[in-house]
Coordinates of all heavy atoms in Angstrom, one line a residue:
L64 N 106.3 84.6 73.5 CA 107.5 85.2 73.3 C 108.5 85.0 74.5 O 108.1 85.2 75.6 CB 107.4 86.8 73.1 CG 106.4 87.1 71.9 CD1 106.1 88.7 72.0 CD2 107.0 86.8 70.6
P65 N 109.7 84.6 74.3 CA 110.5 84.3 75.4 C 111.1 85.4 76.3 O 111.4 85.2 77.5 CB 111.7 83.5 74.7 CG 111.8 84.1 73.3 CD 110.4 84.4 73.0
T66 N 111.4 86.5 75.7 CA 112.1 87.6 76.5 C 111.5 88.9 76.5 O 111.4 89.5 77.5 CB 113.6 87.7 75.9 OG1 113.5 88.0 74.5 CG2 114.3 86.4 76.1
D67 N 111.0 89.4 75.3 CA 110.4 90.8 75.3 C 109.5 90.8 74.1 O 109.2 89.8 73.4 CB 111.5 91.8 75.2 CG 112.4 91.7 74.0 OD1 112.0 91.3 72.9 OD2 113.6 91.9 74.2
A68 N 108.9 92.0 73.8 CA 107.9 92.2 72.7 C 108.5 92.6 71.4 O 107.8 93.0 70.5 CB 106.9 93.3 73.2
S69 N 109.8 92.5 71.3 CA 110.4 93.0 70.0 C 110.0 92.2 68.8 O 109.9 92.7 67.7 CB 112.0 93.0 70.1 OG 112.4 91.6 70.4
D70 N 109.6 91.0 69.0 CA 109.2 90.1 67.9 C 107.6 89.8 67.9 O 107.2 88.8 67.4 CB 110.0 88.8 67.9 CG 111.4 88.9 67.6 OD1 111.8 89.8 66.8 OD2 112.2 88.2 68.2
A71 N 106.9 90.7 68.5 CA 105.4 90.5 68.6 C 104.9 90.5 67.2 O 105.4 91.2 66.3 CB 104.8 91.6 69.4
V72 N 103.8 89.7 67.0 CA 103.3 89.5 65.7 C 101.8 90.2 65.6 O 101.0 89.9 66.5 CB 103.1 88.0 65.4 CG1 102.5 87.8 64.0 CG2 104.5 87.3 65.5
D73 N 101.7 91.0 64.5 CA 100.4 91.6 64.3 C 99.4 90.5 64.0 O 99.7 89.4 63.6 CB 100.5 92.6 63.2 CG 101.2 93.9 63.6 OD1 101.4 94.1 64.8 OD2 101.6 94.6 62.7
E74 N 98.1 90.8 64.3 CA 96.9 90.0 64.1 C 97.0 88.7 65.0 O 96.3 87.8 64.7 CB 96.9 89.5 62.6 CG 97.0 90.6 61.6 CD 95.9 91.6 61.6 OE1 94.8 91.3 62.2 OE2 96.1 92.8 61.3
R75 N 97.8 88.8 66.0 CA 97.9 87.7 67.0 C 97.9 88.3 68.4 O 98.4 89.4 68.6 CB 99.2 86.8 66.8 CG 99.2 86.1 65.5 CD 98.4 84.8 65.5 NE 98.9 83.9 66.6 CZ 99.9 83.0 66.6 NH1 100.6 83.0 65.4 NH2 100.2 82.2 67.6
I76 N 97.5 87.5 69.4 CA 97.7 87.8 70.7 C 99.0 87.2 71.1 O 99.3 86.1 71.0 CB 96.6 87.2 71.6 CG1 95.2 87.7 71.3 CG2 96.8 87.4 73.1 CD1 94.0 87.0 71.9
N77 N 99.9 88.1 71.7 CA 101.3 87.7 72.0 C 101.4 87.7 73.6 O 100.6 88.4 74.2 CB 102.2 88.7 71.5 CG 102.2 88.8 70.0 OD1 102.9 88.1 69.3 ND2 101.3 89.7 69.4
L78 N 102.2 86.8 74.0 CA 102.5 86.8 75.5 C 104.0 86.6 75.8 O 104.6 85.7 75.3 CB 101.7 85.7 76.1 CG 101.7 85.6 77.6 CD1 100.4 85.0 78.2 CD2 102.8 84.7 78.2
V79 N 104.5 87.5 76.5 CA 105.9 87.5 76.9 C 105.9 86.6 78.2 O 105.3 87.0 79.3 CB 106.5 88.9 77.2 CG1 108.0 88.8 77.6 CG2 106.4 89.7 75.9
E80 N 106.7 85.5 78.2 CA 106.8 84.7 79.4 C 107.7 85.2 80.5 O 108.9 85.2 80.3 CB 107.3 83.3 78.9 CG 106.4 82.6 77.9 CD 105.2 82.0 78.4 OE1 105.0 81.9 79.6 OE2 104.4 81.4 77.6
V81 N 107.2 85.8 81.5 CA 108.0 86.4 82.5 C 107.8 85.7 83.9 O 108.5 86.0 84.8 CB 107.7 87.9 82.7 CG1 108.0 88.7 81.4 CG2 106.2 88.2 83.1
T82 N 106.9 84.8 84.0 CA 106.6 84.2 85.2 C 107.2 82.7 85.3 O 107.1 82.0 84.3 CB 105.1 84.0 85.5 OG1 104.5 85.3 85.3 CG2 104.7 83.4 86.8
D83 N 107.9 82.4 86.4 CA 108.5 81.2 86.7 C 107.5 80.0 86.3 O 106.3 80.1 86.9 CB 109.0 81.0 88.1 CG 109.8 79.8 88.3 OD1 109.5 78.7 87.8 OD2 110.8 79.9 89.1
P84 N 107.8 79.0 85.5 CA 106.9 78.0 85.2 C 106.3 77.2 86.5 O 105.3 76.5 86.4 CB 107.6 77.0 84.3 CG 108.7 77.9 83.7 CD 109.0 78.9 84.8
A85 N 107.1 77.3 87.5 CA 106.7 76.5 88.8 C 105.6 77.3 89.5 O 104.9 76.7 90.4 CB 107.9 76.3 89.7
V86 N 105.4 78.5 89.2 CA 104.4 79.3 89.9 C 103.0 78.9 89.5 O 102.7 78.8 88.3 CB 104.6 80.8 89.7 CG1 103.4 81.6 90.2 CG2 105.9 81.3 90.3
K87 N 102.1 78.7 90.4 CA 100.8 78.3 90.1 C 99.7 79.3 90.7 O 100.0 79.9 91.7 CB 100.5 76.9 90.8 CG 101.3 75.8 90.2 CD 100.9 74.4 90.8 CE 101.7 73.3 90.2 NZ 101.4 72.0 90.8
A88 N 98.6 79.4 90.0 CA 97.6 80.3 90.5 C 96.7 79.6 91.6 O 96.4 78.4 91.4 CB 96.7 80.8 89.4
E89 N 96.3 80.4 92.6 CA 95.4 79.9 93.6 C 94.3 81.0 93.7 O 94.3 81.9 94.5 CB 96.0 79.7 94.9 CG 97.1 78.6 94.9 CD 97.7 78.4 96.3 OE1 96.9 78.1 97.2 OE2 99.0 78.5 96.4
P90 N 93.2 80.9 92.8 CA 92.2 82.0 92.8 C 91.7 82.3 94.1 O 91.3 81.4 95.0 CB 91.1 81.3 91.9 CG 91.8 80.3 91.0 CD 93.0 79.8 91.9
G91 N 91.6 83.6 94.3 CA 91.0 84.1 95.5 C 91.9 84.3 96.8 O 91.4 84.6 97.9
K92 N 93.2 83.9 96.6 CA 94.1 83.9 97.7 C 95.3 84.8 97.6 O 95.7 85.0 96.4 CB 94.6 82.5 98.0 CG 93.5 81.4 98.3 CD 94.2 80.1 98.5 CE 93.1 79.0 98.8 NZ 93.8 77.7 99.0
E93 N 95.7 85.4 98.6 CA 96.9 86.2 98.6 C 98.1 85.2 99.0 O 98.1 84.7 100.1 CB 96.9 87.3 99.6 CG 98.2 88.1 99.6 CD 98.2 89.3 100.7 OE1 97.1 89.7 101.0 OE2 99.3 89.7 101.1
T94 N 99.0 85.0 98.1 CA 100.1 83.9 98.3 C 101.4 84.6 98.2 O 101.6 85.8 97.7 CB 99.9 82.8 97.3 OG1 100.1 83.3 95.9 CG2 98.6 82.1 97.4
A95 N 102.4 83.9 98.6 CA 103.7 84.4 98.6 C 104.3 84.7 97.2 O 105.2 85.5 97.0 CB 104.7 83.5 99.4
V96 N 103.7 84.0 96.2 CA 104.3 84.1 94.9 C 103.5 85.1 94.0 O 103.9 85.5 92.9 CB 104.3 82.7 94.2 CG1 105.3 81.8 94.9 CG2 102.9 82.1 94.1
S97 N 102.3 85.5 94.5 CA 101.4 86.3 93.6 C 102.0 87.7 93.4 O 101.9 88.3 92.3 CB 100.0 86.4 94.2 OG 99.9 86.8 95.5
G98 N 102.5 88.3 94.5 CA 103.0 89.6 94.4 C 104.3 89.7 93.5 O 104.3 90.5 92.6
P99 N 105.3 88.8 93.7 CA 106.4 88.8 92.8 C 106.1 88.6 91.4 O 106.7 89.1 90.5 CB 107.3 87.7 93.4 CG 107.0 87.6 94.9 CD 105.5 88.0 94.9
A100 N 105.1 87.7 91.1 CA 104.7 87.5 89.8 C 104.1 88.7 89.1 O 104.4 89.0 87.9 CB 103.7 86.3 89.7
A101 N 103.3 89.4 89.9 CA 102.7 90.7 89.3 C 103.8 91.7 89.1 O 103.8 92.4 88.1 CB 101.7 91.2 90.4
Y102 N 104.8 91.8 90.0 CA 105.9 92.8 89.8 C 106.7 92.4 88.6 O 107.1 93.4 87.9 CB 106.7 92.8 91.1 CG 108.0 93.6 90.9 CD1 107.9 95.0 90.7 CD2 109.2 93.0 90.7 CE1 109.1 95.7 90.5 CE2 110.4 93.7 90.5 CZ 110.3 95.1 90.4 OH 111.4 95.9 90.1
E103 N 107.1 91.2 88.4 CA 107.9 90.8 87.3 C 107.2 91.2 86.0 O 107.9 91.6 85.0 CB 108.3 89.4 87.3 CG 109.4 89.0 88.3 CD 110.6 89.8 88.1 OE1 111.1 89.9 86.9 OE2 111.2 90.3 89.1
A104 N 105.9 91.0 85.9 CA 105.2 91.4 84.7 C 105.2 92.9 84.5 O 105.4 93.4 83.3 CB 103.8 90.9 84.8
L105 N 105.0 93.6 85.5 CA 105.1 95.1 85.4 C 106.4 95.6 85.0 O 106.6 96.5 84.2 CB 104.6 95.7 86.8 CG 104.6 97.2 86.9 CD1 103.7 97.8 85.8 CD2 104.2 97.7 88.3
R106 N 107.5 95.0 85.7 CA 108.9 95.4 85.4 C 109.2 95.2 84.0 O 109.8 96.1 83.3 CB 109.8 94.6 86.4 CG 111.3 95.1 86.1 CD 112.2 94.0 86.8 NE 112.0 92.7 86.1 CZ 112.5 92.4 84.9 NH1 113.2 93.3 84.2 NH2 112.3 91.2 84.4
A107 N 108.8 94.1 83.5 CA 109.2 93.7 82.1 C 108.4 94.6 81.0 O 109.0 95.0 80.1 CB 108.9 92.2 81.8
A108 N 107.2 94.9 81.4 CA 106.3 95.7 80.5 C 106.9 97.1 80.5 O 106.9 97.8 79.4 CB 104.9 95.7 81.0
V109 N 107.3 97.6 81.6 CA 107.8 99.0 81.7 C 109.1 99.1 80.9 O 109.4 100.1 80.2 CB 108.0 99.4 83.2 CG1 108.9 100.8 83.2 CG2 106.7 99.7 83.8
A110 N 109.9 98.1 81.0 CA 111.2 98.0 80.2 C 110.9 98.0 78.7 O 111.6 98.7 77.9 CB 112.0 96.8 80.6
D111 N 109.9 97.3 78.3 CA 109.6 97.3 76.9 C 108.9 98.6 76.5 O 109.1 99.1 75.3 CB 108.6 96.2 76.6 CG 109.3 94.9 76.1 OD1 110.5 95.0 75.8 OD2 108.6 93.9 75.9
L112 N 108.2 99.2 77.3 CA 107.5 100.6 77.1 C 108.7 101.6 76.9 O 108.7 102.4 75.9 CB 106.7 101.0 78.2 CG 105.8 102.2 78.1 CD1 104.8 102.1 76.9 CD2 105.1 102.6 79.3
R113 N 109.6 101.6 77.8 CA 110.7 102.5 77.7 C 111.6 102.3 76.4 O 112.1 103.2 75.8 CB 111.6 102.4 79.0 CG 112.6 103.6 79.1 CD 113.5 103.3 80.3 NE 112.8 103.3 81.6 CZ 112.7 102.3 82.4 NH1 113.1 101.1 82.0 NH2 112.1 102.4 83.5
G114 N 111.7 101.0 76.1 CA 112.5 100.7 75.0 C 111.9 100.8 73.6 O 112.5 100.6 72.6
G115 N 110.5 101.1 73.6 CA 109.9 101.2 72.4 C 109.3 99.9 71.7 O 108.8 100.0 70.6
N116 N 109.3 98.9 72.4 CA 108.8 97.6 72.0 C 107.3 97.6 72.0 O 106.6 96.8 71.3 CB 109.4 96.4 72.7 CG 110.9 96.1 72.4 OD1 111.3 96.4 71.2 ND2 111.6 95.6 73.4
I117 N 106.7 98.4 72.9 CA 105.3 98.5 73.0 C 105.0 100.0 73.0 O 105.9 100.8 73.4 CB 104.6 97.8 74.2 CG1 105.2 98.4 75.5 CG2 104.7 96.3 74.1 CD1 104.6 97.8 76.8
D118 N 103.8 100.4 72.7 CA 103.5 101.8 72.5 C 102.6 102.4 73.7 O 102.7 103.6 74.0 CB 102.7 102.1 71.2 CG 103.4 101.6 70.0 OD1 104.5 102.1 69.8 OD2 102.9 100.7 69.3
A119 N 102.0 101.6 74.4 CA 101.2 102.0 75.6 C 101.0 100.8 76.5 O 101.3 99.7 76.1 CB 99.8 102.5 75.1
L120 N 100.5 101.1 77.7 CA 100.5 100.0 78.8 C 99.1 99.9 79.4 O 98.6 101.0 79.7 CB 101.6 100.3 79.8 CG 101.6 99.3 81.0 CD1 102.0 97.9 80.6 CD2 102.6 99.9 82.0
V121 N 98.6 98.8 79.6 CA 97.4 98.5 80.3 C 97.7 97.6 81.5 O 98.3 96.5 81.2 CB 96.3 97.9 79.4 CG1 95.0 97.7 80.3 CG2 95.9 98.8 78.3
T122 N 97.4 97.9 82.6 CA 97.8 97.1 83.8 C 96.6 96.4 84.4 O 95.6 97.1 84.7 CB 98.5 97.9 84.9 OG1 97.7 99.0 85.3 CG2 99.8 98.4 84.4

Side-chain angles (χ1 to χ4, degrees):
L64 301 170
T66 56
D67 57 40
S69 58
D70 293 325
V72 179
D73 288 342
E74 312 298 337
R75 293 281 300 277
I76 298 172
N77 301 269
L78 188 147
V79 180
E80 302 280 358
V81 298
T82 304
D83 188 322
V86 171
K87 296 182 179 179
E89 298 184 54
K92 298 180 181 179
E93 179 181 340
T94 61
V96 297
S97 59
Y102 170 71
E103 283 304 314
L105 179 60
R106 182 197 61 77
V109 167
D111 266 352
L112 186 63
R113 190 187 295 112
N116 288 331
I117 57 175
D118 302 302
L120 176 64
V121 177
T122 58

